[in-house]
Amino acid sequence: MNPLSPTDENRLDAAWLNEVQWDARGLVPAIAQDAETGDILMVAWMNREALALTRSEGRAIYWSRSRNRLWRKGEESGHVQTVREIRLDCDNDVIVLKVEQLGGIACHTGRRSCFFRVLRDGQWQTVDAVLKNPDEIYQ
Amino acid sequence: MNPLSPTDENRLDAAWLNEVQWDARGLVPAIAQDAETGDILMVAWMNREALALTRSEGRAIYWSRSRNRLWRKGEESGHVQTVREIRLDCDNDVIVLKVEQLGGIACHTGRRSCFFRVLRDGQWQTVDAVLKNPDEIYQ
């Protein structure tokens, strides 16, 4: 079988990738959600290649806007996200990944989730603990 | 007390609003999550006024990019989102609302969540049922 047959699901022009409403930069936001607890862990961006690779490799791969390259989540920290499910919303412009978060830490601050601040009394108050010192994560 | 005192938490230049990284359009994405089940219900946009009103009124108020006006979620459908908690991520550019979804329907298609399609066998497959006909929701 031709590895580049028109029906190949991994092609960057595959139908399922074309259904996504990529923005002007060719990106969509992706929400990583803990598949067990339902906690929202983080939000990052994906381009076509990132989403195609996330599907084929079964781990979360994002597009880093700051570094302008693919970002295999966990490539430095070891905090890989194993992908259990990929969902798309009704507008085709947001992805949800249900993931198993290796190490139990998604945030670069060493916390479980990036959403560790809650609005209370007119202030963003930190309510979740640092589980590991970032200096120990990124050596 | 002066209702527009510099410390008034509801002012549009309040410190907690200034901490949010508004994009070039003055918007941030907001994820509505069911406070009970943890299900991700929808993603919409907020400007300063929408976020300030969401806090003061205790219900989700978004900025509709298509209608270019504030959108009090549920204003037509009755499917109001009562806000239990407002969170901000480590980059200050994404909001999470933990909500109680009135009517149990967040999506304009009449489904519980907007994320009703799962990627399976290279196709976005609808896996969640329509709970109410949209024609009955938007009369």
Side-chain angles (χ1 to χ4, degrees):
Chain A
M1 181 180 160
N2 181 344
L4 289 180
S5 98
T7 58
D8 191 321
E9 294 168 5
N10 289 320
R11 280 181 62 128
L12 288 186
D13 61 354
W16 68 277
L17 285 168
N18 285 336
E19 282 186 62
V20 177
Q21 292 294 312
W22 308 96
D23 72 11
R25 303 162 298 179
L27 303 176
V28 285
I31 305 167
Q33 180 181 33
D34 188 295
E36 293 295 320
T37 64
D39 288 346
I40 297 176
L41 301 174
M42 55 179 282
V43 175
W45 295 87
M46 289 183 159
N47 62 7
R48 271 178 190 263
E49 191 178 6
L51 182 54
L53 289 171
T54 293
R55 175 182 177 278
S56 59
E57 297 189 17
R59 63 178 281 188
I61 298 173
Y62 303 106
W63 177 257
S64 169
R65 293 176 302 169
S66 57
R67 290 175 287 185
N68 211 40
R69 66 166 177 83
L70 288 175
W71 166 34
R72 284 165 202 280
K73 172 69 180 165
E75 62 192 9
E76 292 178 52
S77 63
H79 297 150
V80 169
Q81 293 173 337
T82 303
V83 174
R84 299 291 179 220
E85 195 172 88
I86 303 176
R87 288 190 176 235
L88 182 64
D89 76 344
C90 56
D91 293 333
N92 305 313
D93 61 2
V94 184
I95 299 282
V96 164
L97 303 179
K98 295 203 181 183
V99 305
E100 180 185 339
Q101 177 62 63
L102 271 67
I105 294 174
C107 186
H108 76 288
T109 65
R111 293 179 177 87
R112 171 162 185 70
S113 160
C114 294
F115 294 89
F116 55 81
R117 283 175 299 169
V118 174
L119 185 59
R120 286 183 189 160
D121 304 325
Q123 295 188 343
W124 298 106
Q125 300 190 3
T126 296
V127 295
D128 296 331
V130 172
L131 302 178
K132 190 171 182 178
N133 188 322
D135 292 342
E136 295 173 32
I137 301 174
Y138 304 96
Q139 292 175 340
Chain B
M1 181 180 160
N2 181 345
L4 289 181
S5 97
T7 58
D8 190 324
E9 295 168 3
N10 289 320
R11 281 179 63 127
L12 288 185
D13 60 353
W16 69 277
L17 285 168
N18 285 336
E19 282 187 61
V20 177
Q21 291 294 313
W22 308 97
D23 72 10
R25 302 163 299 179
L27 303 176
V28 285
I31 305 167
Q33 181 181 33
D34 188 296
E36 294 295 318
T37 65
D39 288 346
I40 297 176
L41 300 174
M42 56 178 282
V43 175
W45 295 87
M46 288 183 160
N47 62 6
R48 270 178 190 264
E49 191 178 6
L51 181 54
L53 289 170
T54 293
R55 175 182 176 278
S56 59
E57 296 189 16
R59 64 178 279 188
I61 299 174
Y62 303 106
W63 178 257
S64 169
R65 293 176 301 168
S66 56
R67 290 174 286 185
N68 212 40
R69 67 166 176 83
L70 288 175
W71 166 34
R72 287 177 152 72
K73 172 67 179 167
E75 63 192 7
E76 292 179 51
S77 63
H79 297 150
V80 169
Q81 294 173 336
T82 303
V83 174
R84 298 291 180 219
E85 194 173 87
I86 303 176
R87 288 190 177 236
L88 181 64
D89 75 344
C90 56
D91 293 332
N92 305 313
D93 60 2
V94 184
I95 299 282
V96 164
L97 303 178
K98 295 204 181 181
V99 305
E100 180 186 337
Q101 177 62 64
L102 271 67
I105 295 173
C107 186
H108 75 288
T109 64
R111 293 179 177 87
R112 170 162 185 70
S113 161
C114 293
F115 295 89
F116 55 80
R117 284 175 299 170
V118 175
L119 184 60
R120 287 182 189 159
D121 305 324
Q123 295 188 342
W124 298 106
Q125 299 190 5
T126 296
V127 294
D128 296 331
V130 172
L131 302 178
K132 190 170 182 179
N133 188 321
D135 292 343
E136 295 173 32
I137 300 175
Y138 304 96
Q139 291 176 339

